[in-house]
Structures are given as C-alpha cells and as structure tokens.
Amino acid sequence: MTEKVLSGRIALVTGASRGIGRETALAFAKAGAHVIALARTVGGLESLDDEIKAIGGSATLVPLDLTDFDALDRLGLSIHERWGKLDVLVGNGATLGPISPLNHIEPKHWERVFAINVTANFRLIRSMDPLLRASKAGRAIFISSAAGSNANAYWGCYGASKAALDLMCRDWAEEVRNITNIKVMLVNPGRTRTRMRAEAAPGEDPMTLPAPHEITPHLVAMAAPDWQETGKIFDFPRRAVLSFRAPA
C-alpha cells in the first residue's frame, strides 16, 4: 500500500513488538500514521522503530506491561499533553494462558489472562475515550478470536476472556454510537502464523497459515477516517464484516 490514507493520524498499537501488532504498526506507519507502539519488550520495540524509520515513518516507543494499569492512565495523559487527541486505538496485546481443563487452572493464571485480555482493554477504553472523542474520526480496533464464541474443551480461560472482550467493546460501541465520531470494531484474525498460535498448536505446520501482514490492509481500512461500520466484527478467514447474532 502506497497511499497515505492515515496521514496525520495518531495511532496507539498494543502488543506492537511482534506478530499482528508489529505488522499493524508497520502498516500504519507506511500509510502515514504516527505510531505509538506499546509492548513489554524493549528490544522488539527498538527493532520495530528501526523498520519504521527505514520506510520513512515515525513512532513513539512505550515499553510498558499491560497489567500496569496506572501507567495506562498516565499514557492517556501523556498523549493528551503532546497531541491533544488520539485517532486510532488498536487493542492487540493479549496472552494465551493455560490450555487446560478449567478445574486444573490455577487462579493466578486465570486472573492474569483476564488482566491482560480484558481489564487492560477496559483501562485503555477508559483512558483513551476522551482522546478518541477529540479526533474528527476516532477509530478503535480490538483483536478478538473465534475462541470467544465457540465452545472448545480446554480453551475456557482464553475463550472466556475473548467473549468478555467482545461484549465489552460492543457495549462501548453502543454507548458512543451517534453521539461521537468513534467507530469500534472487533477483528477475528483466525489461525495466523504467530508465536501465540505456535504455543496453542505446537504440532501445526506454521507455513500452512496466513502470515500476520496479510491482515493489515484490512486494519488500515478500519483505521481510516472513511470507515463507517461499528459494533461489528471483521472475520478475516471470510474477509467479511459480520453482525453479532442474538441467541436463537
């Protein structure tokens, strides 16, 4: 993509040091956005910054653990003081947690999965909502999973966290619908060639899976000012925007 459809836009991407987050940060920078790249791994962020500079883009690096909730609040204040707005929020950072029978999961592992996959995104919504409202076209994108809507043995911890994320973001979409310029989307990337997928399915041939960069053109489109869908999920395997269905 050569068109600068995100020119002048400020985009925060969590989990930006690898996988879908890294490729999203690169794609956004290439499309003209200034990327606020958040991740725990300093080395991964510095490598990302080098790549962004090499393609003529710009980034601000934020080495931060998503469970440091007070730091997420401070980040919102810092963004306000520097730019006065946020145009795009991508909630990508997540953890897999144990693939295990529910009765075997230790509470500390359950709590960490929910802290990263759900509570951190709640804190981001809480902190970034005013900044997205200050944008002429605020866009929020959260990486979901089919595990959040399909019942699978041993996936209860991760699946429950993604189900919670889905409903939380859909609720927020309804709260800001028609009274702000914010559009909120969820994204199911499907099986993708990432480290998390390798952890979940170690016997799977990764070369049979789509690479993370293959989804990024769709994320760029959702981050652009002309995107109008909200409260829905983009299903990458089907290349389709889907409405959530009520129980039969």
Side-chain angles (χ1 to χ4, degrees):
M1 179 180 293
T2 58
E3 186 181 0
K4 303 291 186 179
V5 296
L6 303 183
S7 181
R9 288 172 72 72
I10 309 299
L12 169 61
V13 180
T14 71
S17 64
R18 66 184 191 220
I20 292 173
R22 182 185 186 87
E23 294 301 328
T24 298
L26 286 168
F28 280 16
K30 190 173 182 180
H34 177 82
V35 177
I36 304 169
L38 186 156
R40 287 187 305 162
T41 311
V42 174
L45 287 175
E46 292 175 344
S47 173
L48 169 67
D49 191 42
D50 289 342
E51 289 192 55
I52 288 176
K53 287 177 179 176
I55 60 175
S58 63
T60 297
L61 307 184
V62 182
L64 189 154
D65 190 311
L66 282 171
T67 61
D68 188 345
F69 303 138
D70 290 340
L72 295 180
D73 287 345
R74 293 193 296 271
L75 176 60
L77 178 61
S78 296
I79 293 172
H80 171 72
E81 291 175 343
R82 182 169 178 182
W83 292 287
K85 66 165 186 172
L86 181 67
D87 298 297
V88 186
L89 166 62
V90 180
N92 165 75
T95 188
L96 179 64
I99 303 299
S100 168
L102 281 167
N103 63 319
H104 291 182
I105 297 173
E106 295 185 29
K108 65 180 180 180
H109 295 150
W110 177 276
E111 290 163 6
R112 178 165 176 78
V113 168
F114 271 76
I116 295 172
N117 296 358
V118 184
T119 307
N121 284 303
F122 156 67
R123 295 296 291 256
L124 283 167
I125 289 170
R126 182 175 178 272
S127 185
M128 303 302 159
D129 176 285
L131 298 168
L132 290 165
R133 290 176 187 246
S135 170
K136 293 181 179 178
R139 301 291 179 261
I141 305 164
F142 296 88
I143 304 303
S144 182
S145 169
S149 55
N150 296 325
N152 294 297
Y154 314 124
W155 283 75
C157 184
Y158 180 76
S161 73
K162 288 300 184 177
L165 175 70
D166 286 356
L167 190 56
M168 178 178 70
C169 294
R170 291 168 59 200
D171 285 345
W172 182 40
E174 293 307 312
E175 292 170 2
V176 299
R177 187 190 294 271
N178 300 326
I179 62 170
T180 74
N181 292 319
I182 300 173
K183 308 298 181 186
V184 182
M185 288 294 297
L186 289 147
V187 174
N188 171 35
R191 298 175 180 179
T192 309
R193 197 186 313 158
T194 63
R195 184 182 300 182
M196 182 183 289
R197 181 63 194 177
E199 292 173 3
E204 189 174 55
D205 180 359
M207 299 314 294
T208 64
L209 307 176
H213 70 84
E214 295 180 46
I215 196 175
T216 58
H218 303 282
L219 301 180
V220 169
M222 281 178 257
D226 61 355
W227 181 267
Q228 293 303 309
E229 298 280 15
T230 192
K232 297 181 179 179
I233 188 163
F234 174 75
D235 188 71
F236 179 60
R238 284 184 275 185
R239 310 299 196 270
V241 173
L242 304 176
S243 297
F244 286 86
R245 294 189 302 171

